[in-house]
Amino acid sequence: MRIGEHPVLDFDRGKKVRIYYNGQAVEAYENETIAAALHAAGIRRLGESGELHRPRGIYCAIGNCASCLMTVDEQPNTRICIVKCRDGMRVDEQRGRGVLKV
Amino acid sequence: MRETEILVIGGGPAGIRAAITAAELGAEVLLCERDGWLGGQLIKQTGKFFGREYAGQRGFEICADLLAKLHNTAKIDIWLDCPVLGIYEDGVVSCQKKDRLEKIKPQRMIIATGAAENFLAFAGNDLPGVISAGAAETLMHMSGVVPAQRALMVGAGNIGLTVSYQMIQSGVEVAAVIEAAPQIGGYLVHASKLARTGVPIKTGYTIQEAYGEGKVEGARIMRLDETWRPIPGSEEDIACDAICLAVGLNPLAELCWQAGCQMELIRELSGHVPLTDENLQTTIEGIYVAGDICGPEEATTAMAEGKLAGANAAASLGYDTEQAQAARLAALAELGELRAGPMSARIKTGLDKLREKGAAKHA
Ligand SMILES: Cc1cc2nc3c(=O)[nH]c(=O)nc-3n(C[C@H](O)[C@H](O)[C@H](O)COP(=O)(O)OP(=O)(O)OC[C@H]3O[C@@H](n4cnc5c(N)ncnc54)[C@H](O)[C@@H]3O)c2cc1C
Ligand code: FES
């Protein structure tokens, strides 16, 4: 959910775009991070832990903790809390450590 | 390889103020920020500040003024999306710029990378929905996203209290704020403002467990006795879809470790901090620090420290004018004034301990 009226802030969300979470279309804005767009869409699960396969979501939202790693446009281990949305972006849950695209 | 007189690492309030101060004194400055924007934690703060200089201004407004000043100051080059990755023995710094590794050779460095929010041990703490208080603030104020429908805040220091109030402003129901200590840690004004909205602030409570299927659906809290032990039978379940942790910060000082700065563990400064002298210079000549990396404090003190480090770094390069001296004294006066209150007792104890270690080293 997004904030409608705020007593102090006006939000400049920028252009509406569409990103894809595991193939599923999600409405987003270009001035928000991928993590924010997914959160607004009610998506909390971003991946799973390596050993016990427990679900993972955001923790710090500023790039400090690596709890939000996903594969973005085929690039694994992307901290989605500090990457802004772009139209057509593919954001996929990552299994394992991923292979770096070079 | 890019050469510069002063490299500032981190574009939060400390780094920005350091860059402005040094450039105003005539030094050539390169500012590297890992995010695609500047402002650090200050840019998302909506609360009104206290103190003489910024009284009544909101954090993001102070940040906007600071950024305007930064962009109007000559001799500052800014690299965004540019995390600094390493500092080598020969003083070469590497950073990631676009998809390349860039090298920088600065004559002086000011590290102002801030602090990271702490985590807390309890069952289920890895469930999606357990987030830091800062994450809630970031979602709300940077992106306009509601972090939760109903949240539990853990920690009644200033961050826990202010972010709880901000959540209410964004339409979140705050179920409660719990605090392990027997009293509220933050300013009374923040606590009263929150209490007036009807949010219970429960002191002497801890979180036992986060539960839910795949994500947070609730929290089990428990009362603590005088020895901080959970009282059996005092369990209470609170339905919520987010558990926000506001349990302190620790300095983000990896780059100081890497550079070989002497580090000291000072509890009152929330962890390992670089040993500094009164100029905020570390034990490595030419490397200065400012802001939360010296011990998490407030945006106002971060700015004053930035000014102090910026003035000293520039002065050490020969820009040692009357103006530099004035900036240095002004920064010290500012810090003295900001730390005069009883809430700064802990930080002051920590800084005293740090200076004692420094004195012992020189003896
Ligand atoms: C949730 C929260 C609420 C707060 N509310 C208040 C408040 O209401 N009032 C108040 O006075 N204080 C508040 N504070 C404290 C205040 O925000 C900090 O004391 C202040 O921001 C510290 O400034 P800084 O510049 O040292 O660090 P930061 O503001 O954290 O900035 C550090 C910057 O360095 C960058 N960085 C980190 N590592 C690297 C790297 N390797 N390379 C390049 N860049 C890097 C970061 O991206 C960031 O931009 C709050 C803190 C938090 C966490
Ligand atoms: S949530 Fe911590 S790095 Fe993204």
Side-chain angles (χ1 to χ4, degrees):
Chain A
M1 212 166 70
R2 290 189 174 76
I3 300 170
E5 287 283 300
H6 191 280
V8 181
L9 296 169
D10 294 316
F11 299 108
D12 170 23
R13 296 193 161 95
K15 233 176 55 209
K16 197 176 229 181
V17 295
R18 183 173 290 169
I19 62 172
Y20 296 88
Y21 165 78
N22 292 336
Q24 166 202 338
V26 173
E27 296 281 340
Y29 291 89
E30 59 182 5
N31 284 349
E32 63 191 16
T33 59
I34 301 171
L38 297 184
H39 203 90
I43 296 162
R44 297 289 178 271
R45 181 197 166 98
L46 307 177
E48 59 174 37
S49 65
E51 296 270 321
L52 300 174
H53 307 287
R54 291 175 57 88
R56 285 286 174 267
I58 56 163
Y59 179 68
C60 73
I62 57 168
N64 282 339
C65 76
S67 182
C68 66
L69 299 184
M70 294 186 81
T71 299
V72 175
D73 288 336
E74 292 174 46
Q75 200 63 262
N77 304 316
T78 304
R79 286 170 296 173
I80 62 151
C81 68
I82 49 169
V83 176
K84 299 245 168 117
C85 295
R86 217 171 349 89
D87 199 35
M89 217 170 206
R90 294 194 323 283
V91 183
D92 296 303
E93 195 173 315
Q94 186 177 323
R95 288 288 149 81
R97 292 181 187 178
V99 180
L100 210 56
K101 198 181 106 187
V102 279
Chain B
M1 184 142 61
R2 165 67 189 259
E3 292 189 6
T4 183
E5 286 187 321
I6 298 180
L7 170 66
V8 177
I9 306 172
I16 298 174
R17 191 82 181 271
I20 295 172
T21 308
E24 278 178 347
L25 293 171
E28 174 208 355
V29 176
L30 173 62
L31 171 61
C32 282
E33 163 57 48
R34 95 185 146 178
D35 287 340
W37 55 91
L38 294 167
Q41 298 306 301
L42 183 60
I43 198 169
K44 56 192 84 157
Q45 289 163 12
T46 51
K48 288 187 177 159
F49 276 52
F50 316 127
R52 191 167 46 88
E53 199 167 352
Y54 306 100
Q57 271 186 288
R58 298 183 191 276
F60 69 91
E61 294 166 342
I62 298 170
C63 189
D65 289 351
L66 205 57
L67 288 176
K69 197 155 184 209
L70 179 79
H71 294 304
N72 282 329
T73 308
K75 300 188 86 168
I76 302 178
D77 202 359
I78 299 167
W79 286 4
L80 296 177
D81 285 313
C82 186
V84 169
L85 306 171
I87 299 175
Y88 297 92
E89 279 163 359
D90 55 359
V92 171
V93 174
S94 71
C95 66
Q96 184 190 337
K97 193 168 180 238
K98 295 266 169 331
D99 281 325
R100 290 173 49 89
L101 209 58
E102 272 300 326
K103 284 189 201 140
I104 305 165
K105 179 86 179 86
Q107 292 175 36
R108 302 286 184 274
M109 242 182 269
I110 301 170
I111 309 180
T113 45
E117 289 177 277
N118 290 338
F119 200 51
L120 193 66
F122 55 90
N125 65 0
D126 64 339
L127 273 181
V130 177
I131 59 175
S132 72
E137 188 177 54
T138 302
L139 285 173
M140 293 187 290
H141 299 167
M142 297 296 281
S143 298
V145 167
V146 182
Q149 284 185 328
R150 190 166 202 263
L152 171 71
M153 177 64 72
V154 180
N158 278 329
I159 293 180
L161 296 173
T162 50
V163 174
S164 294
Y165 187 77
Q166 292 166 3
M167 285 203 284
I168 293 169
Q169 290 183 311
S170 289
V172 179
E173 182 192 346
V174 179
V177 179
I178 62 166
E179 166 62 55
Q183 73 285 326
I184 290 166
Y187 294 123
L188 200 61
V189 275
H190 292 323
S192 324
K193 200 165 151 191
L194 186 64
R196 279 199 294 276
T197 67
V199 173
I201 304 174
K202 293 155 97 76
T203 53
Y205 274 85
T206 190
I207 178 165
Q208 196 72 7
E209 183 185 351
Y211 57 83
E213 208 43 62
K215 56 183 198 293
V216 169
E217 289 166 9
R220 173 158 302 173
I221 63 170
M222 278 184 97
R223 209 140 45 79
L224 298 172
D225 65 18
E226 313 78 63
T227 60
W228 294 62
R229 283 208 190 81
I231 301 171
S234 69
E235 293 88 350
E236 208 177 300
D237 284 355
I238 294 188
C240 56
D241 58 339
I243 297 168
C244 302
L245 305 185
V247 290
L249 295 108
N250 63 87
L252 264 181
E254 286 93 339
L255 290 171
C256 291
W257 284 102
Q258 237 190 65
C261 301
Q262 188 177 329
M263 305 295 288
E264 296 292 348
L265 177 63
I266 312 268
R267 211 155 62 99
E268 291 82 356
L269 300 179
S270 310
H272 281 92
V273 293
L275 180 61
T276 50
D277 60 18
E278 64 288 349
N279 293 325
L280 290 180
Q281 186 168 221
T282 65
T283 51
I284 305 256
E285 209 185 324
I287 301 188
Y288 296 77
V289 285
D292 274 1
I293 190 175
C294 310
E297 210 175 340
E298 297 211 323
T300 44
T301 45
M303 286 185 277
E305 285 189 340
K307 186 172 181 169
L308 185 59
N312 286 325
S316 75
L317 283 166
Y319 298 101
D320 198 3
T321 53
E322 261 173 49
Q323 201 193 339
Q325 187 58 15
R328 199 187 281 154
L329 291 176
L332 284 170
E334 233 176 279
L335 283 170
E337 204 172 305
L338 290 167
R339 290 179 180 145
M343 293 296 278
S344 297
R346 192 176 131 100
I347 269 281
K348 273 165 57 184
T349 308
L351 290 173
D352 285 346
K353 284 190 184 173
L354 190 68
R355 295 287 130 78
E356 269 167 37
K357 303 241 183 198
K361 184 178 157 261
H362 285 114

